[in-house]
Amino acid sequence: MEALSAHLGCNIYVMREDLTGFGLGGNKVRKLDFLLGDARQKDTKAVISKKASSFTRNAAVGCKKFDMEAHFVIDGCEEKHNPHSKRFFELHDAHLYYAPAGTDMDNVYTEILAKLQQRVEGKVYEMHPGGSDHIGALGYLRVFQLIAEFTEKTGIHFDFTVHPAGSTGTQVGLIMGQIIANYAVKHIGMSVSQPEPVQVKRVADLCFPTATMLEFDFKEHEDKILIDGSFIGPGYPIPSEESKAAVRLFAQLEGLLLDEIYGGKAAAGLIQYAKTKQFGAGNVLFIHTGGNGGLYYD
């Protein structure tokens, strides 16, 4: 990104993961590549998950394409469901269940799951609400392979990546890829919701089982988990003044559209790091994980 690099005084590149080309795009599609593949391999008839999110909206698209029922339990009442989000689910024949205030969403989920298990003879696939389990994390292991291939082809080595840190699968996959490729890079996850110690633990909790699946011990790699919780702002899913300013800067200098909750907060962190010279002369890769401009937030 030449204009942004000149403005901030460092070398900034972007990986357009918002343009992954299926459904609404974004990092969730990378996870669904593996999750839907796993579900199909297990002859799944119905998929179930929680929340109305970028992940479940993309999951609805995938389920429809591969002839699997999609069932999602949503916290809150139907009347408060973002109409754009609701229409998107309806377009793909997803089944929605609501857990209004005073109702335990986990109990609703358990009840729906039991009914599905009985009706489709156990061929139900449960998905993490953000696709962030050891299977979903493989999506960003593959992404890091693409990054390493780019470096080999061009000679451009990335010293830092910057990305929004939410449900952890993106960062875990990047770390797994880094370890396997023996690539020296710092993956900086800008937390969008959780304080730094909490987010570090969440990432570690997924790194260990994913590494076990990949047949190596993660213990000696824990120092690769890098989280910055300084840019959460007033909370989730609430924009900060810094994220709003970052969205404006990226749009005006590069024509790059970010949402204010995920991409905007990661961009705010990148801008601050650049201004305070924390990147030095290194090459920085900003991973644009999607967000659809915030269209689907309530």
Side-chain angles (χ1 to χ4, degrees), residues 28 51 128-130 132-133 165-169 171-172 191-210 218 225 227 236 262:
K28 307 306 183 184
K51 300 182 180 180
H128 179 280
S132 292
D133 62 14
S167 63
T168 76
Q171 188 160 14
V172 171
S191 181
V192 301
S193 61
Q194 300 295 334
E196 184 176 321
V198 174
Q199 188 69 10
V200 167
K201 183 180 184 304
R202 293 177 72 207
V203 174
D205 285 347
L206 182 53
C207 277
F208 278 96
T210 306
F218 185 69
I225 301 176
I227 296 291
Y236 178 89
Y262 286 88

Side-chain angles (χ1 to χ4, degrees), residues 137-154:
L138 296 177
Y140 270 80
L141 189 160
R142 174 57 185 146
V143 166
F144 195 80
Q145 290 174 337
L146 297 175
I147 293 171
E149 288 169 9
F150 177 84
T151 292
E152 184 176 356
K153 181 179 179 179
T154 65

Side-chain angles (χ1 to χ4, degrees), residues 116-138:
L116 279 176
Q117 293 279 20
Q118 184 175 24
R119 182 167 61 78
V120 300
E121 299 179 343
K123 294 182 178 180
V124 180
Y125 193 94
E126 295 184 71
M127 288 188 181
H128 179 280
S132 292
D133 62 14
H134 61 292
I135 300 296
L138 296 177

Side-chain angles (χ1 to χ4, degrees), residues 1-2 6 14 27 30 47 51 58 73 77 86-87 114-115 148-149 200 205 222 226 231 235-236 243 248-249 261:
M1 293 190 283
E2 293 182 359
V14 61
N27 62 334
R30 297 286 193 182
V47 167
K51 300 182 180 180
N58 276 317
V73 179
C77 60
K86 185 179 179 183
R87 173 59 182 150
K115 291 179 180 178
E149 288 169 9
V200 167
D205 285 347
E222 287 188 81
L226 302 174
F231 301 94
Y236 178 89
S243 73
R248 184 177 181 84
L249 185 67
I261 311 301

Side-chain angles (χ1 to χ4, degrees), residues 55-157:
F55 175 76
T56 53
R57 282 185 285 272
N58 276 317
V61 180
C63 287
K64 187 62 180 176
K65 178 175 175 61
F66 295 118
D67 197 27
M68 293 181 280
E69 296 178 16
H71 298 261
F72 305 115
V73 179
I74 299 171
D75 195 13
C77 60
E78 183 174 0
E79 292 75 19
K80 292 186 178 181
H81 188 176
N82 181 302
H84 302 295
S85 174
K86 185 179 179 183
R87 173 59 182 150
F88 190 87
F89 281 121
E90 291 172 349
L91 184 65
H92 296 93
D93 294 334
H95 302 268
L96 304 181
Y97 312 88
Y98 294 90
T103 306
D104 189 316
M105 185 168 71
D106 290 337
N107 288 342
V108 175
Y109 178 91
T110 300
E111 181 180 336
I112 299 300
L113 175 61
K115 291 179 180 178
L116 279 176
Q117 293 279 20
Q118 184 175 24
R119 182 167 61 78
V120 300
E121 299 179 343
K123 294 182 178 180
V124 180
Y125 193 94
E126 295 184 71
M127 288 188 181
H128 179 280
S132 292
D133 62 14
H134 61 292
I135 300 296
L138 296 177
Y140 270 80
L141 189 160
R142 174 57 185 146
V143 166
F144 195 80
Q145 290 174 337
L146 297 175
I147 293 171
E149 288 169 9
F150 177 84
T151 292
E152 184 176 356
K153 181 179 179 179
T154 65
I156 299 172
H157 183 102

Side-chain angles (χ1 to χ4, degrees), residues 215-231:
E215 300 184 339
F216 69 87
D217 186 358
F218 185 69
K219 187 66 178 177
E220 62 187 88
H221 300 286
E222 287 188 81
D223 60 347
K224 291 181 173 63
I225 301 176
L226 302 174
I227 296 291
D228 193 323
S230 305
F231 301 94

